[in-house]
Amino acid sequence: MKQFFLPALLLFFAALAGAQPYANRSNLRIEDFMQGERFTGFSPDNVFWSDDSKTVYFTWNPDQDTLRSLYKVNVDGGKPAELTVEEERGLARGGVYDRAYSRKLFARNGDIFLLDIAAGQERAITQTVAGEFSPRFSGDESQVIYQSGDNLFAWDMTTGATLQLTQFLRGAKREEPRKSAQEQWLEEDQLALFEILRERKAETETRRLRTKALEPKRPKEFYYGEKSLANIQISPDLRFVSFRLTTRAKTRQAQMPDYVTPSGFATIEDTRTKVGAAQDTHEAGIYDRERDTVYFISTKTVEGIFDKPEFLAEYHRDTTPYNNRYDKPREVFLSGPVFSDDGKAAVVLRSQDSKDRWIMLLDLESGALKLLDRQRDEAWIGGPGTGGWTGAIGWMPDNRRLWFQSEASGYSHLYTVDVESGEQVALTQGKFEVLSAELSRNKDAFFITANAEGPHEHHFYRLPLNGGKLEKITPAKGGNRAFLSPDEKQIAVLHSFSNKPWELHIMENKAGAPMRQVTESTTEAFRKYPWRVPEIVWFTARDGVQVPARLYRPAKAGRGGPAVIFVHGAGYLQNVHHWWSSYSREFMFHNFLADNGYTVLDIDFRASAGYGRDWRTAIYRHMGGKDLSDQVDGARFLASRYGVNPKRIGIYGGSYGGFITLMALFTEPGVFRSGAALRSVTDWAHYNHPYTANILNTPQEDSLAYRRSSPIYHAEGLKDELLILHGMIDSNVHFQDVVRLSQRLIELGKDNWEMAVFPLEDHGFVTPSSWSDEYKRIYKLFERTLKQ
């Protein structure tokens, strides 16, 4: 690896002379803003309401203590106050309300409590060391249902009696060993010879039968072997209990060494599997308490369950005829049931290959499934309210329709489906995304969060129950995270703007009502600097698509200056917007770069969140395709629109951004003079399964996608300066990734690269000294390669 000593010597002599090598005319220093929230201030977080809707609770750290603490503020005014230990211990956090919102069930320290909200009185339902959890009301709200261990119990509010509802048992039932033929003959011979033995055996059997007859009725014993039992649900009438059994895949775990430990000995930690490893399999069962029987849900009749994904045909072009159906049903994950008040059950099935999501009506008596909605995506199912195993789903107040979210239009929107007729109705429409949705307390409207004002703002809305005009509630431009009070009269809002971190506000639940700010979190040091509001610009990509970006410009930007392009991580993440970025250090670094003469472009490239299905899936089977060409087109945009010198453009990013940086330097030589790749994926075949298999399928099934998407296969193209930075205990993108790439670069004879390692850092750095070291190195790279 090439070492660069001259810049280090210059910095050393500058330090001796009393200079601040990483400061500029505004005295903004890398080592200051890399302190993170110690520099900006700790924003409020983890907001929740008191059950009487009079108090808002949140975590905060205004005094820069070691840890955040829990605070409260009254909706009628006053300053936030820190809770005492006694106050915090007595909080009734979480839980479920009854239909009248007069009582609440919650778990605390492994016990179940019933809260009378108006009286403010708690009643302990359990007080055991065994631990109880997941309390809920029965359908008629006369009983409290909770789980202890692997079983459900019901506590009668009137009598105080507790009834065990299930008897799920791990392992196998103990059976009496079978006698051999010899043993059976000897026993029969003994009984035939001796009358007393016959009498004693008859007495024993009679006593056993009498004892059994006197036993109370207990739930059916169901042994589930060595599988894992989870998701135990019960119907409102307490007749049907659903559950999920999981067979754990036997797979090899990737291991991660940790060299700097308290003991002084290196340790090895198992972390995760790699993409393509065998996956857990699941089956859903139903226990009918009335018939005392257990049966399992079959997916064989589900529409499309045997369908192969289209990409497989590419590997069978010479096969005639090609069979596009599997011989057995695809593996699925079943979520739910979601029960209506009158006992109907809806479930969500998601195929293990992420190509299908089915919403289905479940007949609890037979286990039969009826299709209500199928969302098929040859890329992968995802997007707000549709990704994950369940997504957003619930029953309408008529108990006949389900509401759910779907990307059927190309954007995630809210729909209803009639479970009898199958008729679907779109409640929202347009080129925007519904980010979350919930029914109002009286079930006459939805409260949703969406980007209906444009992709770069998030607001809280009210939507009529059966669709119609969205009523925007939050008035302030930027990001708004709304937390509705239990009585739905007030909203706690975490609000931020491009250059203003999140602060807590309280407002009435009325359109345009004023927001009262109740926290002031930023530090004096942060407020002293005039942080830019990045301009949101759009440029035309090579395929004609308009691509959004945030632009930071020097105060006196002349032609021919240097520029840096930042690539955000995660892939499916949004960083072009009007709220405070989750990349706060990078936001401050970009201000620092602009102060030092750089133009900075931060692009929401194809794969980013906030722009609909086609944008999300544009990287399917080719990471480093359109997501990379957007960076290249962004560089050309900087040169043509703002007069940036095309030979003085750098690129950097972390995680997915590090991957794109590598692909840019390996496959687009000459576009970027230098690049810094932080915590980068270098070979997607070594990343995790849930993320990677969605986008690239599996390496054993789609090797072409992995080869064209993995930087390690393109390393011979490196011609410009590369800086690699990685934490050695990165449990997400393993340090092994850059070790393998290093060996590849060595064997290719490349000498225009450097690597810095951080022995005590995971994927997301936590130590300010590591952050500072990392970004000083990045800045030095750009100063040396883009300004000289």
Side-chain angles (χ1 to χ4, degrees):
M1 291 184 288
K2 188 175 180 181
Q3 300 294 326
F4 302 100
F5 295 109
L6 182 58
L9 288 172
L10 291 174
L11 291 171
F12 173 72
F13 288 120
L16 288 179
Q20 294 179 342
Y22 301 106
N24 60 17
R25 61 184 180 275
S26 61
N27 293 319
L28 188 62
R29 305 190 315 161
I30 290 177
E31 49 265 52
D32 289 336
F33 59 77
M34 285 298 154
Q35 299 282 324
E37 287 189 304
R38 294 288 173 190
F39 175 76
T40 62
F42 288 83
S43 292
D45 203 359
N46 303 310
V47 178
F48 64 98
W49 282 86
S50 63
D51 296 299
D52 61 7
S53 299
K54 295 179 180 180
T55 306
V56 177
Y57 297 96
F58 56 98
T59 57
W60 201 27
N61 188 9
D63 299 323
Q64 301 271 326
D65 290 336
T66 304
L67 299 173
R68 289 175 174 269
S69 298
L70 190 62
Y71 281 74
K72 64 180 179 181
V73 65
N74 194 289
V75 296
D76 296 328
K79 295 182 178 180
E82 185 177 352
L83 270 69
T84 65
V85 173
E86 291 73 19
E87 287 176 316
E88 188 170 353
R89 186 184 294 121
L91 284 178
R93 298 197 200 192
V96 293
Y97 295 100
D98 63 6
R99 294 187 187 92
Y101 281 77
S102 61
R103 298 174 298 174
K104 187 179 85 166
L105 287 168
F106 66 97
R108 184 171 62 209
N109 299 324
D111 290 312
I112 306 298
F113 294 85
L114 177 64
L115 173 67
D116 183 314
I117 295 172
Q121 295 179 342
E122 294 180 5
R123 181 178 180 183
I125 296 173
T126 66
Q127 288 182 304
T128 73
V129 296
E132 295 81 33
F133 53 96
S134 299
R136 68 209 86 165
F137 291 96
S138 61
D140 61 7
E141 298 188 337
S142 67
Q143 298 183 72
V144 174
I145 313 302
Y146 62 87
Q147 187 171 340
S148 180
D150 287 339
N151 288 291
L152 294 182
F153 297 80
W155 176 78
D156 192 290
M157 296 187 193
T158 303
T159 66
T162 297
L163 175 68
Q164 183 169 341
L165 302 175
T166 63
Q167 194 170 187
F168 296 142
L169 301 166
R170 187 174 181 84
K173 187 174 182 178
R174 292 184 61 182
E175 303 285 353
E176 289 293 329
R178 294 186 61 180
K179 297 182 177 67
S180 66
Q182 177 212 25
E183 291 170 331
Q184 186 67 33
W185 184 89
L186 286 172
E187 181 178 326
E188 292 172 357
D189 189 57
Q190 289 290 93
L191 292 173
L193 286 172
F194 304 108
E195 182 178 355
I196 293 177
L197 291 179
R198 291 196 299 274
E199 291 174 353
R200 289 177 179 176
K201 182 178 180 181
E203 289 174 2
T204 299
E205 181 63 16
T206 302
R207 189 177 296 110
R208 185 188 67 81
L209 293 173
R210 182 177 298 173
T211 299
K212 187 173 181 61
L214 294 173
E215 289 177 351
K217 181 176 175 57
R218 301 294 189 193
K220 178 184 179 66
E221 289 183 348
F222 176 74
Y223 290 86
Y224 59 89
E226 298 306 313
K227 299 176 182 179
S228 297
L229 175 69
N231 192 35
I232 305 174
Q233 306 291 336
I234 193 164
S235 59
D237 62 4
L238 307 188
R239 175 179 170 181
F240 299 100
V241 178
S242 64
F243 58 92
R244 181 172 61 244
L245 294 180
T246 299
T247 301
R248 299 297 179 193
K250 296 180 180 179
T251 56
R252 183 174 180 177
Q253 295 283 311
Q255 294 182 313
M256 180 186 71
D258 185 356
Y259 293 100
V260 184
T261 65
S263 69
F265 292 89
T267 60
I268 302 293
E269 178 185 342
D270 287 338
T271 53
R272 56 164 171 78
T273 61
K274 298 187 179 187
V275 62
Q279 298 298 296
D280 297 344
T281 56
H282 313 276
E283 51 191 326
I286 299 172
Y287 168 41
D288 184 340
R289 297 181 60 242
E290 185 176 293
R291 293 185 293 171
D292 203 29
T293 186
V294 172
Y295 44 98
F296 287 85
I297 299 170
S298 172
T299 61
K300 290 182 178 179
T301 60
V302 173
E303 177 185 298
I305 194 66
F306 294 92
D307 291 354
K308 292 179 179 178
E310 289 180 356
F311 80 88
L312 288 176
E314 184 175 337
Y315 294 90
H316 297 276
R317 288 173 178 167
D318 298 330
T319 304
T320 306
Y322 170 63
N323 182 8
N324 62 0
R325 287 171 58 85
Y326 290 109
D327 294 331
K328 62 179 183 179
R330 283 179 286 160
E331 294 290 343
V332 301
F333 185 93
L334 185 147
S335 300
V338 178
F339 293 105
S340 65
D341 288 341
D342 62 358
K344 296 187 185 73
V347 294
V348 178
L349 277 66
R350 184 182 174 113
S351 61
Q352 195 175 81
D353 62 11
S354 295
K355 307 297 184 187
D356 276 284
R357 182 200 70 175
W358 299 269
I359 298 175
M360 312 200 77
L361 190 68
L362 170 64
D363 185 309
L364 292 165
E365 282 203 51
S366 66
L369 295 167
K370 175 185 176 181
L371 181 64
L372 300 175
D373 179 75
R374 180 189 180 188
Q375 186 176 334
R376 171 77 172 182
D377 197 320
E378 286 297 336
W380 73 96
I381 300 294
T386 64
W389 292 118
T390 305
I393 184 173
W395 286 92
M396 297 288 276
D398 58 13
N399 291 321
R400 175 168 171 156
R401 292 174 296 161
L402 276 169
W403 64 266
F404 63 98
Q405 283 182 243
S406 170
E407 281 190 321
S409 70
Y411 294 84
S412 183
H413 279 292
L414 201 58
Y415 294 80
T416 61
V417 59
D418 188 304
V419 300
E420 295 181 15
S421 69
E423 179 186 7
Q424 291 192 12
V425 176
L427 302 185
T428 59
Q429 301 176 62
K431 292 185 177 182
F432 67 91
E433 292 189 318
V434 174
L435 305 172
S436 65
E438 62 177 313
L439 269 177
S440 64
R441 177 170 152 176
N442 59 10
K443 298 186 177 183
D444 66 347
F446 285 95
F447 290 112
I448 72 173
T449 298
N451 59 4
E453 311 305 305
H456 306 132
E457 292 188 54
H458 287 173
H459 284 281
F460 188 67
Y461 299 85
R462 184 184 184 277
L463 175 72
L465 180 67
N466 294 309
K469 184 179 179 181
L470 285 172
E471 181 183 34
K472 182 164 75 77
I473 307 296
T474 46
K477 182 178 181 178
N480 296 278
R481 302 174 187 168
F483 304 85
L484 202 57
S485 62
D487 65 7
E488 298 184 346
K489 295 179 180 179
Q490 303 279 337
I491 309 173
V493 182
L494 286 177
H495 171 76
S496 73
F497 189 60
S498 305
N499 62 348
K500 296 178 181 178
W502 300 95
E503 298 287 3
L504 180 64
H505 302 69
I506 297 175
M507 64 176 291
E508 286 187 85
N509 186 12
K510 294 180 180 179
M515 298 198 307
R516 176 174 66 89
Q517 184 172 332
V518 298
T519 60
E520 180 66 52
S521 306
T522 54
T523 64
E524 182 180 353
F526 176 81
R527 292 192 295 270
K528 282 174 63 176
Y529 179 83
W531 301 101
R532 291 167 174 80
V533 176
E535 179 186 359
I536 293 181
V537 298
W538 297 78
F539 63 87
T540 304
R542 63 192 63 187
D543 58 358
V545 171
Q546 292 294 300
V547 179
R550 297 217 289 189
L551 180 70
Y552 302 75
R553 300 201 71 198
K556 296 180 180 179
R559 298 190 68 81
V564 170
I565 289 181
F566 170 67
V567 189
H568 69 68
Y572 190 63
L573 179 147
Q574 185 175 3
N575 204 44
V576 177
H577 47 61
H578 290 302
W579 59 86
W580 183 248
S581 176
S582 58
Y583 286 94
S584 58
R585 289 180 177 87
E586 288 77 3
F587 166 81
M588 293 184 282
F589 184 55
H590 298 162
N591 276 267
F592 174 84
L593 288 175
D595 283 349
N596 284 278
Y598 293 86
T599 298
V600 182
L601 195 67
D602 171 3
I603 304 170
D604 266 352
F605 50 89
R606 250 72 71 89
S608 299
Y611 305 93
R613 182 265 170 196
D614 290 348
W615 203 271
R616 175 178 67 81
T617 61
I619 58 170
Y620 177 59
R621 300 190 69 214
H622 192 184
M623 293 163 154
K626 291 181 179 179
D627 46 358
L628 173 57
S629 65
D630 286 347
Q631 317 299 328
V632 176
D633 293 341
R636 291 170 180 158
F637 167 71
L638 287 176
S640 63
R641 176 68 63 86
Y642 298 103
V644 164
N645 187 334
K647 295 182 179 180
R648 298 172 67 190
I649 301 177
I651 186 171
Y652 89 102
S655 195
Y656 198 94
F659 150 72
I660 287 291
T661 298
L662 293 175
M663 290 294 278
L665 296 183
F666 293 172
T667 67
E668 296 283 353
V671 174
F672 301 100
R673 178 67 186 84
S674 60
L678 296 65
R679 49 194 178 275
S680 316
V681 174
T682 69
D683 187 345
W684 287 108
H686 290 257
Y687 196 50
N688 70 37
H689 186 91
Y691 179 91
T692 319
N694 278 350
I695 305 171
L696 299 179
N697 304 305
T698 62
Q700 58 267 42
E701 288 185 313
D702 201 355
S703 59
L704 294 175
Y706 281 81
R707 185 167 288 270
R708 63 175 163 246
S709 300
S710 296
I712 200 166
Y713 293 108
H714 307 283
E716 69 278 0
L718 178 64
K719 291 183 172 56
D720 303 293
E721 303 284 355
L722 169 62
L723 172 62
I724 301 170
L725 308 106
H726 212 104
M728 292 182 71
I729 53 172
D730 189 334
S731 58
N732 182 10
V733 180
H734 294 157
F735 184 60
Q736 181 191 23
D737 262 53
V738 293
V739 173
R740 295 177 68 246
L741 178 62
S742 299
Q743 182 61 30
R744 179 70 177 146
L745 292 171
I746 291 168
E747 293 183 8
L748 288 169
K750 303 294 182 179
D751 61 1
N752 51 340
W753 62 284
E754 285 187 316
M755 182 163 67
V757 302
F758 300 85
L760 287 176
E761 295 296 349
D762 202 330
H763 193 63
F765 284 18
V766 295
T767 308
S769 59
S770 297
W771 277 106
S772 297
D773 183 274
E774 183 177 46
Y775 276 78
K776 286 177 182 179
R777 293 175 186 275
I778 296 169
Y779 181 57
K780 286 165 62 179
L781 172 72
F782 292 150
E783 285 285 279
R784 182 177 53 78
T785 59
L786 305 183
K787 283 190 173 180
Q788 296 179 9

